[in-house]
Each structure stands twice: as C-alpha cells, then as structure tokens.
Amino acid sequence: MSHAVAPLINLFTVGMTFSSIYFREHPRVIEAADEFVRRLRLALGNEGQEELFLGVVRGRIVADGETLVGPSLIARRYVDCVEHLQCGGMLFHRELLPGELIDLFAVCSDLHSKVRDRRYAADLLQAQGVRHIRLSPCYGEPGWQGQDVELDEEPSTVNDLETMIQFYQSLQATVEDSHERAMRGQDVNMNTARTVVESMVTSIESDYQDLLNLSRYPDYDNYTIGHSVRVSLFAMLVGQKIGLSPIELVEIGTAGLLHDIGKSKIPQEILFKTARLDKDELYVMRKHPHYGGEILLETEDSSPTSIGAAFGHHLRQDGKGYPKIPKWAPISAVTSLIQVCDVFEALTAVRPYKPSLTPAQSYHIMMKDSGAFDRTMLFSLVKVLGLYPPGSRVKLSTGEEGVVCSTGLRLDRPLVRITQSNEGVAFARNDQPLLDLGFCSPGEVHVTELSLDGENRMTVGSDEASGDMRGARVDLSSLQIQPCR
Ligand SMILES: [Fe+2]
Ligand SMILES: [Fe+2]
C-alpha cells in the first residue's frame, strides 16, 4: 500500500496548489481530483478495504505503521491541511467523489480561518457536503486511526533525518510559494527565501550532501520545484567545497531556489507538456529568464546575485544562449555556477520526454560543448559530485547494493553504505557496513548499476566504472580532490 501513497500526496499537492492559485473548476484541479479518486480506488483494491488512511506524525507521512520519507518530502501542503483541521490525518473512503476533494481543498485553502478543534473541522466538512473524508485524532490520542509508528526506525545518515525532512520541505515550500506569488502578480517574498536558506546554512554542520540524499527521491509531477531545490543544493555544495563564506552560500542558495521563477509566467500547457516542445512553444518557454529577471528586479530586497542568476542562467560563455545580451556584458561567477548546476540537473533527471543520463554521460556532453560553460565551475561540480553523486543508489560488481555517502578521493571510487548483501538480504539500518571503494582495486569491486532517484536503474559501462567517462578524454588524475573538511 505504501507505494500508492506518494502519487496520492502529489495529486493532493497539485490540486491544492492550483485551486489556491486559480479557481475550483480549473482543469488542473479537476484532473488532479479525478486522478486522486482513481488511484485511491486502485490502492484500495478489491479486497474489501473501504478507507485509506494518510496519517501525519511529527510532520511526516505515515501509512501502514511506516513513516515514508519520499512522500513526506512533497507533503507540506497535506501536512498544513492536517494541522489546519486539527487532526492526525484523513481517511479517504472508496466512494469519495472528485467534487468532495475539491471542497476539501477549498476548506483547507483558507488556512487563516480559525478552526477551533477537530469536531469543528469535521462539521465544516459536513456543511460543505464532504461525506467520504473522515478526520482522525492525532497520534497518541485515543481513536488514532493508524497503526503504532516506530519513530526511531530510521537512524539518520544525516544530522537528524527529521530535521533534514523539515529543511527539505521548507526549501520546496519556498520555491512553491514564490512561484505561486509570482504567478498571481504578487511580490516574491525574498526575505523568507533567504531566511530558509540561512537557517539551513547555519544549522547544517556537516554538509549539503545529507540533503542531497533526500533530494534524490522521485519528483512525480513537480519537476520545476524539485529541480530548483536540487540546483540550489548542488550550487551550495560546490560553493561550500570551494570555501565560500556562509553569507555567500546564502546568496547562492537563494539564487538557485529562484533561478526559474520566470517559469511562473509561462502558460501551464507549455510548462507541463509531457512531449517535446515545438518551435513556437520553445520560443515562449525561452522567455522565462527574461521574466525571471523582471520579477526579481521588481521584488523588494532581491539581490543582484538572484536577479543575475534568474536572468542569465541560460547564457553561454561564448555569448550564445538566451536572452541576448551585449558582447561586453559580463556573466557573474554565481550565474555561471547556477548555469552548470542547472544543465547537470536537467541531464541527470528523468522527464516525461527523456530518460536520465548518468553523471559521466552528462559531464561528457558538457565538456564537449566547449563554449557553453565556465570551465572552473564545471570542473568544480565534477570534483564535488563525482561519477556517483551522494544519495545515489548503486549496485556493485560483488552483487551488493548500497547508497553513496560521499564522493571519494577518486571520482569513480565513492564511499558506499551497503544496504543489501550479495544474496539479496537487506541489512538492518544499524548494521549497514561502509565500504570505501578508494581502498579497493577496480578489479576487486566496481559500480555496475546506478540509480539517481531510487527508481530508474542505469547500467554503468566498464569504461565509466574505471573512470574513463566514455571517451570524454578527461584526465581524472587532474580532477582528483583533496579532502575538503
Ligand atoms: Fe531555466
Ligand atoms: Fe532551471
């Protein structure tokens, strides 16, 4: 059942977002509600189960007694609704109608209205004619509709998994809110964006690799949002490794989060088109940097760094790219860094119209395109993320499987936490051994499969596994890095 939860949370988010931006009959709202109901019935199956419970415990989604990391990352709107309704989650009945869900969106969109308690919220829903959604008491209260939850079941690889999920949710929320406000013609709240990044920069003691582990969960529908968060994290990670100050990191992180803000002005049918864009659509889509620059120029407290990145992240170093700028106009280092991270993220992500490429294939393409990128920034990204970026799932030639914890001294030899033995036995979280491939020869063990999002697996070629990067003619020895901590 838990695999059905993420798409449901995602559809809830999409429906809520569009019903608050537009109106209840907007096609995207109706589409999301219809699909939610269809998937709900599919998840409930034919075995007599009448209701699906989506609970919230300490800001995380729980289902079947499990806390689910992936759905929690995209669940901020659902969590907000549950908190607004003073409950611990909702039970969705198989007879639920799309119109009832849309009514629920309307009730929850008004987050400023005071809901006294759960009973009041239930009456509110009844009054709206919502009969197939029930509210559960909170976790720990009598009548909680879920199973017991083991909250400490996932000791973190990070400072604290719960904190990391909260950080991720706030980054995601910042991008969502900014795009929504820009779409409505309202001012982007620059200070909120900066505060979120600032609290992350000052709170995270180790590095952003921890957040990258989370950011690799599949994106479902919101690929502008997840993309912006990842671009921001990549840029901060590179910035941190090249020794930038916390203040500079905050500016870079904020610029990364808002670099595609201009997409808020692009018509939805182009933005969410699942096929490749035709010439005319591409023309419209390519206006987004211009719109982005304009939006941030008009925003109070925005910085030249963010304005520059929103306007210039599709400019190339050789003067090509878009929008057109005079030859003498310089491109800032931050914009160049965001551009590199933007292209790398796009190449390595799955989109409805394209599969993902491995990092090695992506670096190969980027390095061959000699006029496009600032070489220092590109090489810094390669050094920091390596061939197997932190958070990637890998299968080894020994048959074991694991998660990359950090890039090794050599790009092709990461530090891996083994999660599953070569006989397919999963290790308990506390018993997962660390294997530093830097201490093994490629003949002994190398990576054979890579998954960047935990779902789509890619076979790693033998040349790639040995660091040859598919003929990219990159001298790996020149890219070897020293420990940066
Ligand atoms: Fe863009
Ligand atoms: Fe982008």
Side-chain angles (χ1 to χ4, degrees):
M1 181 73 80
S2 56
H3 64 279
V5 172
L8 288 173
I9 294 289
N10 183 53
L11 288 162
F12 189 95
T13 303
V14 171
M16 268 295 291
T17 304
F18 282 94
S19 73
S20 62
I21 298 173
Y22 298 116
F23 46 91
R24 51 172 295 145
E25 287 84 16
H26 189 279
R28 289 277 292 171
V29 180
I30 295 174
E31 201 182 297
D34 285 348
E35 185 61 10
F36 184 99
V37 167
R38 192 184 73 78
R39 286 193 176 247
L40 171 70
R41 291 182 188 151
L42 217 61
L44 289 169
N46 299 321
E47 287 163 26
Q49 191 179 338
E50 292 298 301
E51 289 177 311
L52 176 79
F53 177 52
L54 297 178
V56 173
V57 179
R58 285 176 18 197
R60 294 165 67 175
I61 298 292
V62 296
D64 295 340
E66 260 185 276
T67 57
L68 305 173
V69 177
S72 296
L73 299 175
I74 53 167
R76 203 252 330 180
R77 282 193 188 275
Y78 185 76
V79 172
D80 283 351
C81 287
V82 164
E83 284 172 3
H84 178 63
L85 299 174
Q86 309 264 340
C87 64
M90 295 185 239
L91 294 112
F92 297 92
H93 194 276
R94 67 161 63 242
E95 298 295 320
L96 177 71
L97 298 171
E100 292 180 85
L101 193 63
I102 295 173
D103 286 332
L104 172 74
F105 294 155
V107 170
C108 294
S109 290
D110 191 11
L111 290 179
H112 300 297
S113 70
K114 180 85 185 121
V115 172
R116 284 197 297 275
D117 53 28
R118 196 175 71 253
R119 186 174 291 274
Y120 179 90
D123 290 345
L124 213 55
L125 292 183
Q126 278 288 328
Q128 289 286 328
V130 180
R131 289 177 295 119
H132 295 105
I133 298 173
R134 287 197 296 132
L135 306 180
S136 161
C138 295
Y139 186 63
E141 287 177 6
W144 159 254
Q145 295 289 315
Q147 301 166 14
D148 279 348
V149 182
E150 268 191 59
L151 285 170
D152 296 322
E153 66 188 353
E154 288 187 90
S156 57
T157 54
V158 298
N159 290 357
D160 170 305
L161 187 59
E162 217 164 283
T163 315
M164 287 295 144
I165 288 177
Q166 279 164 14
F167 275 133
Y168 195 88
Q169 285 179 345
S170 357
L171 291 174
Q172 187 117 4
T174 304
V175 183
E176 269 172 17
D177 291 344
S178 312
H179 279 242
E180 265 180 53
R181 291 182 66 84
M183 216 180 274
R184 290 199 199 106
Q186 297 169 336
D187 252 14
V188 174
N189 197 336
M190 203 68 196
N191 279 337
T192 309
R194 214 174 263 128
T195 308
V196 167
V197 179
E198 196 173 61
S199 68
M200 202 177 74
V201 169
T202 49
S203 316
I204 296 180
E205 283 158 14
S206 52
D207 58 40
Y208 310 103
Q209 290 186 0
D210 301 337
L211 269 168
L212 275 180
N213 286 334
L214 292 183
S215 78
R216 284 303 183 177
Y217 277 88
D219 249 356
Y220 312 107
D221 188 42
N222 288 324
Y223 38 86
T224 299
I225 310 297
H227 162 77
S228 301
V229 172
R230 277 190 292 277
V231 167
S232 171
L233 290 173
F234 288 158
M236 282 197 283
L237 190 57
V238 173
Q240 189 194 41
K241 298 280 181 181
I242 61 178
L244 298 185
S245 70
I247 293 173
E248 290 166 315
L249 291 177
V250 170
E251 283 306 318
I252 288 176
T254 310
L257 286 182
L258 300 177
H259 79 278
D260 268 336
I261 188 80
K263 285 189 179 170
S264 59
K265 297 285 181 202
I266 302 298
Q268 302 294 319
E269 57 274 20
I270 294 180
L271 200 58
F272 292 105
K273 187 175 174 185
T274 49
R276 280 195 180 278
L277 301 181
D278 66 27
K279 212 169 132 243
D280 294 341
E281 291 163 337
L282 210 55
Y283 176 78
V284 174
M285 188 62 153
R286 287 186 166 177
K287 288 183 174 174
H288 79 268
H290 190 98
Y291 293 145
E294 270 179 359
I295 292 168
L296 294 187
L297 256 180
E298 287 164 11
T299 296
E300 206 181 332
D301 295 327
S302 67
S303 65
T305 312
S306 289
I307 299 168
F311 180 81
H313 68 278
H314 287 288
L315 293 171
R316 295 165 51 99
Q317 301 296 316
D318 58 10
K320 296 178 186 160
Y322 57 94
K324 287 284 162 242
I325 56 165
K327 275 207 171 71
W328 50 261
I331 301 174
S332 80
V334 173
T335 299
S336 302
L337 173 58
I338 301 282
Q339 180 215 6
V340 165
C341 298
D342 185 47
V343 173
F344 177 77
E345 202 290 327
L347 290 173
T348 54
V350 182
R351 293 284 184 270
Y353 50 86
K354 75 160 200 60
S356 64
L357 297 181
T358 64
Q361 290 166 331
S362 308
Y363 298 145
H364 177 42
I365 290 171
M366 293 170 79
M367 284 179 183
K368 262 190 16 186
D369 193 354
S370 57
F373 305 103
D374 177 312
R375 304 296 276 181
T376 310
M377 292 304 172
L378 178 54
F379 273 46
S380 301
L381 181 88
V382 176
K383 286 177 187 177
V384 167
L385 295 183
L387 301 194
Y388 310 110
S392 314
R393 274 74 167 162
V394 289
K395 184 165 184 179
L396 303 177
S397 54
T398 54
E400 295 159 304
E401 294 190 18
V403 177
V404 174
C405 297
S406 62
T407 314
L409 288 180
R410 279 183 51 111
L411 301 179
D412 55 334
R413 314 296 291 163
L415 177 67
V416 178
R417 179 164 47 80
I418 305 293
T419 53
Q420 189 176 300
S421 78
N422 54 4
E423 283 155 356
V425 180
F427 292 117
R429 186 80 183 201
N430 287 337
D431 297 329
Q432 294 172 350
L434 287 176
L435 177 63
D436 190 340
L437 267 60
F439 288 108
C440 318
S441 74
E444 260 178 289
V445 55
H446 58 268
V447 177
T448 57
E449 276 181 20
L450 167 70
S451 171
L452 294 173
D453 62 6
E455 278 192 351
N456 300 284
R457 287 177 173 232
M458 296 177 278
T459 305
V460 174
S462 56
D463 49 353
E464 207 169 305
S466 63
D468 195 31
M469 292 175 62
R470 298 195 168 213
R473 296 208 201 113
V474 175
D475 178 7
L476 283 181
S477 61
S478 73
L479 291 177
Q480 283 176 15
I481 54 172
Q482 297 302 316
C484 295
R485 299 189 194 168

